[in-house]
Each structure stands twice: as structure tokens, then as C-alpha cells.
Amino acid sequence: MSIIPKSQLLRFRNSTRTVKLSLNESLQRFKNESKTQKVTIFLSHKHDESEELEAAINLLKSFEIEVYVDWLDEGMPIKTCGETAKRIKEKIKENHKFILLATEGAINSKWCNWELGFGDSHKYSSNIALLPIRNDGYSYTGTEYMQIYSSIEYLDGTSITVSGLYIKAGYYVMEPADKNGNRSWVTLKMWLER
């Protein structure tokens, strides 16, 4: 698995800003965009990783999709409670795709794991992907269950197919390896359009 370094993801952080906005102002602007005819994504993430969240939103929005972030939802209770879980369940069902921003913090979060489990039972596996992010200079530990999900990875143009062709540089959704260790892939754009 080709894990995206945090510094590479953070290049997207300011990519769609035209003026200098605070993180909350920028995320609020995302929320207010039109949802007409757009693929919608439930983006599971750890709440205290705001830089990573904003960068992931910008990466995904570059493909002209709508991203749902729970703490920007005005219908969400102010204090976490049972209603919070009910609302999250509704939103996971409502959105077309489910992506877990799989940082080390998110992997260890009870909420992110719960959301992934719920998403797993309500989405076809073809509509779930992990976006694994590692801190620069650190290895990525992940966890065993992550091996059953597709992952969003950046290929730098040096990867070669079984038939000897180079895979163009870009973001891809990579399927889990089969019993022979082979993986199939599709561009992130094509996956989002499915």
C-alpha cells in the first residue's frame, strides 16, 4: 500500500482558497456550496486533525464532488449523545460514498471505527475507500481490517502493470490484493463518478 505522506496531502490545504480564510470559514464555504448533481461523500475523520481534514476536502473537491463533514452539520446536536450517532447513521446512508481519512489518530478513534463499521454494513464495498495518511518521517502502522478495503493512493508514474506498461502519475483507488497479491485499480476520478 502506498501511504500518502501528510506533507503531500497538506499541499491541497490552500489550493481552493482565493482569499485568506480561517479554517472554519473555509469549511463553512464548502458546506454552503450547491449539491446539485454532485456525488456526495461521507468523510470520516478525527476531529482534532483539522489541517488534514481541510486538505482532504480540497483534494476531493478538485473532482467536483460534495463532502459531508459531521461537525459542519447544523442538525447535529451541540453535545455528543445518542442523537449524534443516529444523525451520523442517517448521513452515512444518505451519501453515495464513504471515505475514512485514515490517519493514525483516526485508526485509534472509537468514533471513526464505529463509522467505518456502520458504513461497511450499509454501502457496497465498491463505495468505501480509505485515504491512508502517515506523518512525515514515521512509518504507517494501520491495522489488519484495513486490508479488506480499497485505498486511495498516489502513484508517481513509476509503477508498472503486469503487461509492462507504466501507470500514469495520479490518484487511484486501489482494490485490496487478491490471494496472489495482485491489485486492480481505477483513477480516483472514475471511482467518484461510479
Side-chain angles (χ1 to χ4, degrees), residues 24-56:
N24 283 339
E25 290 170 326
S26 178
L27 293 174
Q28 190 65 37
R29 182 175 283 179
F30 292 143
K31 179 182 161 214
N32 293 333
E33 288 179 1
S34 171
K35 297 177 181 156
T36 308
Q37 302 297 321
K38 288 187 177 183
V39 170
T40 57
I41 292 177
F42 182 97
L43 183 57
S44 178
H45 63 284
K46 187 147 179 9
H47 280 235
D48 63 357
E49 296 177 334
S50 55
E51 285 184 331
E52 294 89 337
L53 173 63
E54 184 180 17

mmCIF file of all heavy atoms in Angstrom, residues 24-56:
data_model
loop_
_atom_site.group_PDB
_atom_site.id
_atom_site.type_symbol
_atom_site.label_atom_id
_atom_site.label_comp_id
_atom_site.label_asym_id
_atom_site.label_seq_id
_atom_site.Cartn_x
_atom_site.Cartn_y
_atom_site.Cartn_z
ATOM 1 N N ASN A 24 -12.271 27.451 9.803
ATOM 2 C CA ASN A 24 -13.728 27.372 9.950
ATOM 3 C C ASN A 24 -14.453 28.099 8.822
ATOM 4 O O ASN A 24 -15.454 27.619 8.314
ATOM 5 C CB ASN A 24 -14.175 27.914 11.306
ATOM 6 C CG ASN A 24 -13.917 26.932 12.427
ATOM 7 O OD1 ASN A 24 -13.782 25.736 12.180
ATOM 8 N ND2 ASN A 24 -13.832 27.431 13.641
ATOM 9 N N GLU A 25 -13.940 29.262 8.401
ATOM 10 C CA GLU A 25 -14.565 29.982 7.284
ATOM 11 C C GLU A 25 -14.469 29.178 5.988
ATOM 12 O O GLU A 25 -15.418 29.097 5.218
ATOM 13 C CB GLU A 25 -13.895 31.348 7.094
ATOM 14 C CG GLU A 25 -14.197 32.340 8.197
ATOM 15 C CD GLU A 25 -13.321 33.585 8.096
ATOM 16 O OE1 GLU A 25 -12.146 33.479 7.674
ATOM 17 O OE2 GLU A 25 -13.820 34.663 8.447
ATOM 18 N N SER A 26 -13.305 28.573 5.777
ATOM 19 C CA SER A 26 -13.107 27.772 4.569
ATOM 20 C C SER A 26 -14.036 26.563 4.558
ATOM 21 O O SER A 26 -14.689 26.270 3.552
ATOM 22 C CB SER A 26 -11.645 27.311 4.498
ATOM 23 O OG SER A 26 -11.425 26.519 3.381
ATOM 24 N N LEU A 27 -14.135 25.859 5.678
ATOM 25 C CA LEU A 27 -15.008 24.682 5.752
ATOM 26 C C LEU A 27 -16.474 25.092 5.637
ATOM 27 O O LEU A 27 -17.275 24.374 5.036
ATOM 28 C CB LEU A 27 -14.748 23.900 7.042
ATOM 29 C CG LEU A 27 -13.361 23.237 7.121
ATOM 30 C CD1 LEU A 27 -13.152 22.606 8.489
ATOM 31 C CD2 LEU A 27 -13.172 22.216 6.024
ATOM 32 N N GLN A 28 -16.836 26.241 6.199
ATOM 33 C CA GLN A 28 -18.208 26.729 6.080
ATOM 34 C C GLN A 28 -18.551 27.015 4.616
ATOM 35 O O GLN A 28 -19.646 26.721 4.155
ATOM 36 C CB GLN A 28 -18.407 27.984 6.926
ATOM 37 C CG GLN A 28 -19.846 28.413 7.061
ATOM 38 C CD GLN A 28 -20.692 27.396 7.817
ATOM 39 O OE1 GLN A 28 -20.250 26.765 8.759
ATOM 40 N NE2 GLN A 28 -21.923 27.224 7.383
ATOM 41 N N ARG A 29 -17.592 27.544 3.872
ATOM 42 C CA ARG A 29 -17.803 27.810 2.448
ATOM 43 C C ARG A 29 -18.058 26.494 1.706
ATOM 44 O O ARG A 29 -18.910 26.421 0.837
ATOM 45 C CB ARG A 29 -16.592 28.532 1.863
ATOM 46 C CG ARG A 29 -16.788 28.865 0.391
ATOM 47 C CD ARG A 29 -15.654 29.669 -0.145
ATOM 48 N NE ARG A 29 -15.790 31.053 0.294
ATOM 49 C CZ ARG A 29 -14.933 32.014 -0.008
ATOM 50 N NH1 ARG A 29 -13.896 31.750 -0.755
ATOM 51 N NH2 ARG A 29 -15.128 33.238 0.428
ATOM 52 N N PHE A 30 -17.313 25.438 2.058
ATOM 53 C CA PHE A 30 -17.551 24.124 1.450
ATOM 54 C C PHE A 30 -18.986 23.687 1.704
ATOM 55 O O PHE A 30 -19.662 23.184 0.829
ATOM 56 C CB PHE A 30 -16.616 23.057 2.035
ATOM 57 C CG PHE A 30 -15.175 23.223 1.686
ATOM 58 C CD1 PHE A 30 -14.206 22.916 2.620
ATOM 59 C CD2 PHE A 30 -14.778 23.661 0.438
ATOM 60 C CE1 PHE A 30 -12.865 23.044 2.311
ATOM 61 C CE2 PHE A 30 -13.443 23.805 0.121
ATOM 62 C CZ PHE A 30 -12.480 23.497 1.066
ATOM 63 N N LYS A 31 -19.429 23.890 2.921
ATOM 64 C CA LYS A 31 -20.768 23.458 3.315
ATOM 65 C C LYS A 31 -21.856 24.165 2.518
ATOM 66 O O LYS A 31 -22.876 23.569 2.183
ATOM 67 C CB LYS A 31 -20.955 23.720 4.808
ATOM 68 C CG LYS A 31 -22.306 23.348 5.331
ATOM 69 C CD LYS A 31 -22.400 23.697 6.791
ATOM 70 C CE LYS A 31 -23.841 23.751 7.161
ATOM 71 N NZ LYS A 31 -24.158 24.711 8.134
ATOM 72 N N ASN A 32 -21.645 25.413 2.203
ATOM 73 C CA ASN A 32 -22.663 26.214 1.536
ATOM 74 C C ASN A 32 -22.708 26.042 0.020
ATOM 75 O O ASN A 32 -23.569 26.595 -0.630
ATOM 76 C CB ASN A 32 -22.463 27.690 1.878
ATOM 77 C CG ASN A 32 -22.723 27.965 3.341
ATOM 78 O OD1 ASN A 32 -23.496 27.260 3.989
ATOM 79 N ND2 ASN A 32 -22.043 28.957 3.887
ATOM 80 N N GLU A 33 -21.766 25.277 -0.546
ATOM 81 C CA GLU A 33 -21.767 25.077 -1.997
ATOM 82 C C GLU A 33 -22.976 24.267 -2.432
ATOM 83 O O GLU A 33 -23.527 23.473 -1.679
ATOM 84 C CB GLU A 33 -20.494 24.346 -2.427
ATOM 85 C CG GLU A 33 -19.269 25.214 -2.329
ATOM 86 C CD GLU A 33 -18.017 24.468 -2.739
ATOM 87 O OE1 GLU A 33 -18.106 23.292 -3.114
ATOM 88 O OE2 GLU A 33 -16.951 25.076 -2.675
ATOM 89 N N SER A 34 -23.364 24.436 -3.676
ATOM 90 C CA SER A 34 -24.502 23.713 -4.248
ATOM 91 C C SER A 34 -24.221 22.217 -4.304
ATOM 92 O O SER A 34 -23.123 21.790 -4.647
ATOM 93 C CB SER A 34 -24.781 24.228 -5.658
ATOM 94 O OG SER A 34 -25.720 23.404 -6.290
ATOM 95 N N LYS A 35 -25.225 21.411 -3.978
ATOM 96 C CA LYS A 35 -25.104 19.964 -4.009
ATOM 97 C C LYS A 35 -25.771 19.375 -5.249
ATOM 98 O O LYS A 35 -25.826 18.172 -5.403
ATOM 99 C CB LYS A 35 -25.731 19.363 -2.752
ATOM 100 C CG LYS A 35 -25.033 19.777 -1.495
ATOM 101 C CD LYS A 35 -25.709 19.227 -0.277
ATOM 102 C CE LYS A 35 -24.953 19.725 0.942
ATOM 103 N NZ LYS A 35 -25.690 19.778 2.121
ATOM 104 N N THR A 36 -26.252 20.200 -6.144
ATOM 105 C CA THR A 36 -26.986 19.739 -7.306
ATOM 106 C C THR A 36 -26.115 18.851 -8.182
ATOM 107 O O THR A 36 -25.036 19.244 -8.591
ATOM 108 C CB THR A 36 -27.486 20.953 -8.124
ATOM 109 O OG1 THR A 36 -28.175 21.829 -7.256
ATOM 110 C CG2 THR A 36 -28.389 20.509 -9.243
ATOM 111 N N GLN A 37 -26.606 17.645 -8.473
ATOM 112 C CA GLN A 37 -25.968 16.713 -9.392
ATOM 113 C C GLN A 37 -24.539 16.351 -9.008
ATOM 114 O O GLN A 37 -23.737 16.048 -9.867
ATOM 115 C CB GLN A 37 -26.001 17.280 -10.815
ATOM 116 C CG GLN A 37 -27.376 17.578 -11.342
ATOM 117 C CD GLN A 37 -28.240 16.334 -11.465
ATOM 118 O OE1 GLN A 37 -27.773 15.273 -11.859
ATOM 119 N NE2 GLN A 37 -29.503 16.446 -11.096
ATOM 120 N N LYS A 38 -24.192 16.378 -7.759
ATOM 121 C CA LYS A 38 -22.844 16.014 -7.346
ATOM 122 C C LYS A 38 -22.877 14.693 -6.595
ATOM 123 O O LYS A 38 -23.824 14.401 -5.882
ATOM 124 C CB LYS A 38 -22.239 17.086 -6.426
ATOM 125 C CG LYS A 38 -21.864 18.362 -7.127
ATOM 126 C CD LYS A 38 -21.120 19.280 -6.167
ATOM 127 C CE LYS A 38 -20.676 20.540 -6.845
ATOM 128 N NZ LYS A 38 -19.900 21.400 -5.965
ATOM 129 N N VAL A 39 -21.808 13.929 -6.755
ATOM 130 C CA VAL A 39 -21.607 12.755 -5.914
ATOM 131 C C VAL A 39 -21.347 13.283 -4.516
ATOM 132 O O VAL A 39 -20.660 14.288 -4.336
ATOM 133 C CB VAL A 39 -20.397 11.927 -6.415
ATOM 134 C CG1 VAL A 39 -20.018 10.859 -5.424
ATOM 135 C CG2 VAL A 39 -20.703 11.329 -7.771
ATOM 136 N N THR A 40 -21.912 12.633 -3.506
ATOM 137 C CA THR A 40 -21.700 13.064 -2.129
ATOM 138 C C THR A 40 -20.899 12.018 -1.377
ATOM 139 O O THR A 40 -21.073 10.817 -1.585
ATOM 140 C CB THR A 40 -23.043 13.316 -1.411
ATOM 141 O OG1 THR A 40 -23.823 12.122 -1.465
ATOM 142 C CG2 THR A 40 -23.794 14.467 -2.067
ATOM 143 N N ILE A 41 -20.027 12.503 -0.514
ATOM 144 C CA ILE A 41 -19.139 11.628 0.255
ATOM 145 C C ILE A 41 -19.284 11.928 1.730
ATOM 146 O O ILE A 41 -19.244 13.095 2.139
ATOM 147 C CB ILE A 41 -17.673 11.838 -0.154
ATOM 148 C CG1 ILE A 41 -17.459 11.343 -1.579
ATOM 149 C CG2 ILE A 41 -16.724 11.152 0.808
ATOM 150 C CD1 ILE A 41 -16.082 11.573 -2.092
ATOM 151 N N PHE A 42 -19.431 10.872 2.526
ATOM 152 C CA PHE A 42 -19.324 10.995 3.981
ATOM 153 C C PHE A 42 -17.847 10.836 4.285
ATOM 154 O O PHE A 42 -17.255 9.791 4.006
ATOM 155 C CB PHE A 42 -20.140 9.913 4.689
ATOM 156 C CG PHE A 42 -20.091 10.038 6.191
ATOM 157 C CD1 PHE A 42 -21.111 10.683 6.865
ATOM 158 C CD2 PHE A 42 -19.025 9.529 6.921
ATOM 159 C CE1 PHE A 42 -21.072 10.823 8.250
ATOM 160 C CE2 PHE A 42 -18.976 9.658 8.295
ATOM 161 C CZ PHE A 42 -20.004 10.304 8.969
ATOM 162 N N LEU A 43 -17.224 11.874 4.834
ATOM 163 C CA LEU A 43 -15.796 11.835 5.145
ATOM 164 C C LEU A 43 -15.620 11.634 6.646
ATOM 165 O O LEU A 43 -15.846 12.543 7.442
ATOM 166 C CB LEU A 43 -15.115 13.129 4.688
ATOM 167 C CG LEU A 43 -13.604 13.198 4.875
ATOM 168 C CD1 LEU A 43 -12.892 12.045 4.156
ATOM 169 C CD2 LEU A 43 -13.071 14.539 4.387
ATOM 170 N N SER A 44 -15.239 10.429 7.012
ATOM 171 C CA SER A 44 -14.983 10.094 8.414
ATOM 172 C C SER A 44 -13.565 10.563 8.749
ATOM 173 O O SER A 44 -12.631 10.331 7.974
ATOM 174 C CB SER A 44 -15.114 8.578 8.607
ATOM 175 O OG SER A 44 -14.837 8.224 9.934
ATOM 176 N N HIS A 45 -13.407 11.201 9.903
ATOM 177 C CA HIS A 45 -12.118 11.779 10.268
ATOM 178 C C HIS A 45 -12.061 11.988 11.774
ATOM 179 O O HIS A 45 -13.078 11.985 12.457
ATOM 180 C CB HIS A 45 -11.937 13.130 9.567
ATOM 181 C CG HIS A 45 -12.970 14.114 10.011
ATOM 182 N ND1 HIS A 45 -14.275 14.073 9.571
ATOM 183 C CD2 HIS A 45 -12.903 15.147 10.888
ATOM 184 C CE1 HIS A 45 -14.967 15.038 10.152
ATOM 185 N NE2 HIS A 45 -14.157 15.701 10.959
ATOM 186 N N LYS A 46 -10.861 12.202 12.281
ATOM 187 C CA LYS A 46 -10.670 12.546 13.686
ATOM 188 C C LYS A 46 -10.814 14.057 13.815
ATOM 189 O O LYS A 46 -10.199 14.806 13.068
ATOM 190 C CB LYS A 46 -9.298 12.076 14.159
ATOM 191 C CG LYS A 46 -9.089 12.244 15.642
ATOM 192 C CD LYS A 46 -8.217 11.152 16.172
ATOM 193 C CE LYS A 46 -7.907 11.225 17.636
ATOM 194 N NZ LYS A 46 -8.549 12.133 18.478
ATOM 195 N N HIS A 47 -11.633 14.492 14.743
ATOM 196 C CA HIS A 47 -11.998 15.908 14.835
ATOM 197 C C HIS A 47 -10.840 16.858 15.122
ATOM 198 O O HIS A 47 -10.895 18.009 14.701
ATOM 199 C CB HIS A 47 -13.100 16.107 15.879
ATOM 200 C CG HIS A 47 -14.443 15.754 15.332
ATOM 201 N ND1 HIS A 47 -15.505 16.619 15.353
ATOM 202 C CD2 HIS A 47 -14.895 14.635 14.710
ATOM 203 C CE1 HIS A 47 -16.548 16.041 14.788
ATOM 204 N NE2 HIS A 47 -16.200 14.848 14.394
ATOM 205 N N ASP A 48 -9.814 16.418 15.797
ATOM 206 C CA ASP A 48 -8.734 17.352 16.107
ATOM 207 C C ASP A 48 -7.666 17.405 15.014
ATOM 208 O O ASP A 48 -6.638 18.035 15.183
ATOM 209 C CB ASP A 48 -8.118 17.047 17.469
ATOM 210 C CG ASP A 48 -7.458 15.674 17.548
ATOM 211 O OD1 ASP A 48 -7.518 14.907 16.566
ATOM 212 O OD2 ASP A 48 -6.884 15.367 18.608
ATOM 213 N N GLU A 49 -7.915 16.783 13.875
ATOM 214 C CA GLU A 49 -6.958 16.804 12.762
ATOM 215 C C GLU A 49 -7.484 17.715 11.641
ATOM 216 O O GLU A 49 -7.741 17.294 10.519
ATOM 217 C CB GLU A 49 -6.710 15.384 12.258
ATOM 218 C CG GLU A 49 -6.059 14.519 13.324
ATOM 219 C CD GLU A 49 -5.858 13.079 12.917
ATOM 220 O OE1 GLU A 49 -6.604 12.563 12.062
ATOM 221 O OE2 GLU A 49 -4.941 12.462 13.480
ATOM 222 N N SER A 50 -7.645 18.996 11.982
ATOM 223 C CA SER A 50 -8.293 19.944 11.075
ATOM 224 C C SER A 50 -7.459 20.237 9.830
ATOM 225 O O SER A 50 -8.020 20.432 8.748
ATOM 226 C CB SER A 50 -8.647 21.228 11.808
ATOM 227 O OG SER A 50 -7.513 21.788 12.423
ATOM 228 N N GLU A 51 -6.141 20.283 9.942
ATOM 229 C CA GLU A 51 -5.310 20.528 8.757
ATOM 230 C C GLU A 51 -5.490 19.408 7.735
ATOM 231 O O GLU A 51 -5.681 19.668 6.544
ATOM 232 C CB GLU A 51 -3.831 20.616 9.130
ATOM 233 C CG GLU A 51 -3.422 21.889 9.803
ATOM 234 C CD GLU A 51 -1.925 21.920 10.052
ATOM 235 O OE1 GLU A 51 -1.291 20.865 10.228
ATOM 236 O OE2 GLU A 51 -1.396 23.036 10.063
ATOM 237 N N GLU A 52 -5.431 18.177 8.216
ATOM 238 C CA GLU A 52 -5.594 17.030 7.334
ATOM 239 C C GLU A 52 -6.986 17.007 6.712
ATOM 240 O O GLU A 52 -7.154 16.710 5.532
ATOM 241 C CB GLU A 52 -5.352 15.717 8.084
ATOM 242 C CG GLU A 52 -3.932 15.512 8.564
ATOM 243 C CD GLU A 52 -3.669 16.090 9.953
ATOM 244 O OE1 GLU A 52 -4.402 17.018 10.388
ATOM 245 O OE2 GLU A 52 -2.715 15.619 10.601
ATOM 246 N N LEU A 53 -7.985 17.364 7.517
ATOM 247 C CA LEU A 53 -9.364 17.398 7.038
ATOM 248 C C LEU A 53 -9.523 18.418 5.912
ATOM 249 O O LEU A 53 -10.066 18.107 4.852
ATOM 250 C CB LEU A 53 -10.321 17.734 8.184
ATOM 251 C CG LEU A 53 -11.781 17.960 7.782
ATOM 252 C CD1 LEU A 53 -12.386 16.699 7.180
ATOM 253 C CD2 LEU A 53 -12.579 18.433 8.987
ATOM 254 N N GLU A 54 -9.053 19.635 6.136
ATOM 255 C CA GLU A 54 -9.193 20.665 5.105
ATOM 256 C C GLU A 54 -8.469 20.259 3.822
ATOM 257 O O GLU A 54 -8.989 20.440 2.716
ATOM 258 C CB GLU A 54 -8.667 22.005 5.616
ATOM 259 C CG GLU A 54 -8.878 23.114 4.608
ATOM 260 C CD GLU A 54 -8.364 24.460 5.076
ATOM 261 O OE1 GLU A 54 -7.564 24.522 6.028
ATOM 262 O OE2 GLU A 54 -8.777 25.460 4.464
ATOM 263 N N ALA A 55 -7.276 19.690 3.944
ATOM 264 C CA ALA A 55 -6.525 19.265 2.763
ATOM 265 C C ALA A 55 -7.254 18.146 2.024
ATOM 266 O O ALA A 55 -7.336 18.151 0.791
ATOM 267 C CB ALA A 55 -5.126 18.818 3.176
ATOM 268 N N ALA A 56 -7.797 17.178 2.763
ATOM 269 C CA ALA A 56 -8.539 16.074 2.134
ATOM 270 C C ALA A 56 -9.782 16.602 1.420
ATOM 271 O O ALA A 56 -10.102 16.161 0.307
ATOM 272 C CB ALA A 56 -8.924 15.027 3.175
#
